Amino acid sequence: MKFKTQILDEVGLNRAIKRLSHEIIEHNNGVDNIVLVGIKTRGVPFAKQLQANLLALENIMVPIEELDITLYRDDLSELNIEPMLNKDSILSNTTGKIVILCDDVVYTGRTCRAAIDAVMKHGRPKNIQFAVLVDRGHRELPIRADYIGKNIPTSKQEVVAVKFKEVDGNSGIDLYEL
């Protein structure tokens, strides 16, 4: 892949996450009964930053779950991998909760669909919302994010890379070309 441009630096990324935190509070009239579900890998640090912002704003520690959607993928047989179930793949009971799925990028919508399947297997939430840092378009399923950090129209020959210090050593959003 060839680096094309930086979309957001660390300051811009943090500003977008702070804005999304305010939107979540406003949309839900607070943070009562909310559970953040970070979709591995980069949805987890995103959810943790949302959690920290929500705590600072509302003085309530919103719980976080980590979700590995591997077993729920619709292309598992095509990938020719042996899926392994780890303890992070098991969500607690979601019945009656407002579940906010957190992911770095929404593209085709298939990851979100798999995450919804996983959540529904563990209860009946009051509702499921979807927060993403980047919406790059090209949906294959009727999936729409409720909270979007940045809309970045892309071609299918481009790749959006969201980076977090915890995972990548630095934070920001970059655009690459295949």
Side-chain angles (χ1 to χ4, degrees):
M1 288 190 305
K2 182 178 135 192
F3 178 79
K4 194 167 179 180
T5 189
Q6 182 178 54
I7 305 294
L8 290 177
D9 61 7
E10 182 175 1
V11 172
L13 179 61
N14 290 337
R15 188 178 302 120
I17 295 172
K18 189 169 282 194
R19 179 178 46 79
L20 293 174
S21 303
H22 283 280
E23 289 178 18
I24 288 168
I25 293 166
E26 184 177 331
H27 181 81
N28 293 291
N29 297 316
V31 294
D32 293 333
N33 210 28
I34 288 177
V35 176
L36 299 172
V37 177
I39 301 171
K40 287 190 167 186
T41 296
R42 286 171 184 79
V44 174
F46 172 37
K48 288 179 180 177
Q49 285 190 12
L50 284 172
Q51 180 190 49
N53 288 341
L54 295 173
L55 177 61
L57 294 166
E58 293 288 297
N59 202 29
I60 296 173
M61 181 64 79
V62 175
I64 290 182
E65 301 264 356
E66 295 183 13
L67 179 62
D68 181 348
I69 56 120
T70 303
L71 292 177
Y72 298 92
R73 291 178 58 124
D74 61 3
D75 62 349
L76 198 56
S77 62
E78 296 171 21
L79 295 176
N80 199 23
I81 59 173
E82 281 294 318
M84 293 178 56
L85 182 65
N86 61 50
K87 65 180 180 183
D88 294 335
S89 301
I90 308 297
L91 293 175
S92 60
N93 190 327
T94 58
T95 299
K97 305 284 186 194
I98 297 170
V99 174
I100 301 179
L101 298 172
C102 302
D103 204 5
D104 57 345
V105 178
V106 60
Y107 180 40
T108 63
R110 293 183 181 278
T111 297
C112 183
R113 187 223 34 97
I116 291 170
D117 287 350
V119 167
M120 296 302 289
K121 187 168 183 163
H122 296 283
R124 184 184 167 109
K126 180 178 179 185
N127 73 37
I128 298 174
Q129 299 169 17
F130 188 31
V132 297
L133 286 168
V134 176
D135 184 342
R136 62 170 289 194
H138 304 285
R139 224 60 96 244
E140 294 175 2
L141 300 173
I143 300 285
R144 170 188 66 74
D146 299 282
Y147 312 102
I148 301 168
K150 190 140 184 83
N151 283 295
I152 304 172
T154 62
S155 75
K156 292 188 177 186
Q157 287 70 46
E158 293 174 315
V159 175
V160 175
V162 176
K163 299 178 293 182
F164 287 99
K165 278 185 184 171
E166 304 92 305
V167 179
D168 307 293
N170 61 359
S171 296
I173 301 175
D174 295 335
L175 185 65
Y176 292 87
E177 197 158 6
L178 294 176

